[in-house]
Each structure stands twice: as structure tokens, then as C-alpha cells.
Amino acid sequence: MTRIRAFRDRRAAGLHLGEELGRRRWHDPLVLGLARGGVVVAHAVAEVLDAPLDVAVARKIGAPGQPEFGVGAVTASGDATYDARSLRALGLHPEDLRESRDAEQAEARRRERVYLQGRAPQPRAGRDVILVDDGLATGVTARAAAHVIRADRPRSLVFATPVAALEAAAAIKAEVDDVICLLAPDELRAIGEWYADFTQTSDDEVIDLLGGGRA
């Protein structure tokens, strides 16, 4: 099978995405990268827009026995977000996932502490916030993060990604003011297919990139 290689790596994708976002006018923009891989893309976007960079943490809640199949997501605070269609297909109720939800929320809190390194998050109220990820497959983690960000009263909230499944892009529109993606294929099996280099991003890389973000 021939691999699709639309982007060299996350940074290259972020530079392309930043160029597209740069066509708009922004009010006091703040770029938030979804940890972990989304931070790499967001760092490049922030460079292009000359905007501050910060992190958003959301953890996938996997199906029982299929941890890689995300049926929901949770952030460090607030309620979990679930994909209703996936729950129906598997005959699951949110309470069936309580143990997994609690474990993932604890991990989200830990990662948030690690990434912020003792500093306060960048303020979001009254700003144009751009939430960035390296791709959108089901979109459940992005929706969970967007729900929490919306509670911080940004002036506007835009989700931006290099590649998104059409159905997932449509679903997240309920949580944000706009969705910007460079590619929206009819069939998206795996985000990694769209990158020549999709090496897993480490916690140390996230911390380094956030340290290089503008204050």
C-alpha cells in the first residue's frame, strides 16, 4: 500500500497551517497546542502569527479491551466528553467507563503540571484562541479541550489542524466558532499516513517547545 505523505513532519505542517491562519486578522491571539503532538504544530503556527503559545491537555478514554479506540476524552477538570455513536455501537454507558475516565483525568492533571512547570496558564478571556492539533480523526479529545476552553470566555475559539476527517470536523463545529483544516479527505484511516515523519512527541519536547513560546 502506498503511504500518503502530504506533510514532511509536524513542524512543516504547522508552518503551512500558520500561513493559512495568517490570512485572517486576529485580536490578541493565543495558540494552544493539544498535547503532545499538537504542540509541535502549534509552535510553528505561533511563530508564523507571532503569537504566544500554550498547551491544552486532553486524554482519550479507550473502549474496554481496545484502549486505542477512543470513545471519549477528559481534561484535567470538568466532565468527560463521549462519542455517542461509538457508545451505542459498543453498547456502553458512560458509567461503564468510570474507572478509565478517572485514571485518564488523573493523568491529564499530572501532565498539565509537568508541562506548565509551575507557571500559570496563559489567560484566555477576551482573546482569539486557536486550538491546534496534528490531526483530527474522531475529534473526541479536541472536543473535550474546546469545551473547557470555551468556559474561559475567549473572544473567539477556532480549531485548526493540517488534516481532519470530514465527519470529525463537522462534529467539533458545535464546540468552536470555526474550523480550519488544510486537508479533509473522504476517508481518513490514520493521521500518521499524512506525514512522512510522525514520530511520537515526548514530554521533554513539549516542555522545550513551551519554554520557547513567547511570554
Side-chain angles (χ1 to χ4, degrees):
M1 181 182 297
T2 302
R3 284 192 67 201
I4 301 164
R5 293 182 173 89
F7 306 107
R8 185 177 68 248
D9 53 24
R10 290 182 179 89
R11 175 168 174 78
L15 293 173
H16 287 300
L17 186 60
E19 290 176 5
E20 179 65 28
L21 291 164
R23 302 177 192 276
R24 297 188 172 200
R25 298 185 67 178
W26 302 95
H27 171 76
D28 194 15
L30 171 64
V31 181
L32 297 179
L34 259 173
R36 291 182 287 197
V39 176
V40 183
V41 181
H43 184 268
V45 169
E47 279 188 3
V48 175
L49 298 183
D50 194 27
L53 171 70
D54 212 342
V55 64
V57 180
R59 294 285 298 171
K60 177 172 60 180
I61 300 170
Q66 303 177 69
E68 292 305 311
F69 180 55
V71 295
V74 67
T75 59
S77 61
D79 297 330
T81 298
Y82 294 99
D83 184 77
R85 192 170 72 166
S86 295
L87 291 181
R88 286 195 302 270
L90 296 173
L92 292 171
H93 186 274
E95 277 303 302
D96 299 330
L97 302 163
R98 179 170 53 183
E99 184 176 341
S100 177
R101 178 200 66 202
D102 291 348
E104 294 301 343
Q105 186 160 58
E107 176 62 12
R109 289 170 179 155
R110 185 197 71 81
R111 289 197 181 196
E112 197 170 81
R113 289 194 300 269
V114 168
Y115 297 150
L116 292 176
Q117 296 282 287
R119 67 172 175 83
Q122 290 270 356
R124 302 166 180 177
R127 308 175 76 168
D128 288 340
V129 175
I130 307 166
L131 176 63
V132 177
D133 203 1
D134 53 13
L136 193 73
T138 64
V140 67
T141 52
R143 295 203 308 272
H147 182 74
V148 170
I149 295 165
R150 178 69 80 188
D152 291 332
R153 304 187 310 278
R155 178 177 180 268
S156 70
L157 176 57
V158 172
F159 178 77
T161 186
V163 57
L166 281 173
E167 188 173 349
I172 198 174
K173 284 183 178 178
E175 299 288 349
V176 300
D177 296 301
D178 201 1
V179 175
I180 304 297
C181 63
L182 303 180
L183 298 171
D186 292 332
E187 182 180 356
L188 193 154
R189 293 183 297 273
I191 300 299
E193 290 185 346
W194 298 84
Y195 290 83
D197 179 1
F198 200 62
T199 305
Q200 184 173 339
T201 305
S202 68
D203 284 343
D204 286 342
E205 186 175 1
V206 170
I207 293 167
D208 287 345
L209 291 172
L210 292 172
R214 293 171 58 86

